[in-house]
Amino acid sequence: MSRSMPSPADPRRGLGNLPAKGWRAACWALACWWRASARTARLAIGIPDYDHYVDHMQRRHPDRTPMTRDEFFHERMLARYGKGRSRCC
């Protein structure tokens, strides 16, 4: 490559016509979107989000100790499927 053209790996170049700062913002937005999509998909199929629960407990209930990961999942499964009984009949 000539000296006047930046190399494709040049971080100042960015992505396409985006400057490097815009590229970083686009990557950040994509990462946020991915995390939100993953959380939504987990909730849709019934997998509870333990990290979100711990964060909530620390922010809203600092005086209470959060459940352990195993206790949390056990409690969520009991809440979802009941205590040995069927919800439909």
Side-chain angles (χ1 to χ4, degrees), residues 2-76:
S2 71
R3 290 185 174 262
S4 62
M5 295 286 297
S7 71
D10 185 357
R12 294 170 294 162
R13 182 171 179 255
L15 182 66
N17 292 332
L18 284 174
K21 193 173 194 178
W23 181 78
R24 282 191 296 273
C27 286
W28 180 81
L30 181 62
C32 288
W33 174 84
W34 181 259
R35 282 191 294 274
S37 297
R39 184 179 301 140
T40 300
R42 284 187 203 107
L43 288 173
I45 61 173
I47 299 174
D49 191 350
Y50 179 73
D51 295 329
H52 185 73
Y53 159 74
V54 170
D55 184 48
H56 166 79
M57 290 297 287
Q58 289 172 347
R59 282 187 288 113
R60 304 289 183 175
H61 311 284
D63 55 322
R64 296 175 60 191
T65 304
M67 292 183 272
T68 65
R69 187 175 289 271
D70 289 338
E71 291 170 339
F72 174 77
F73 281 105
H74 181 72
E75 191 273 332
R76 290 288 82 219

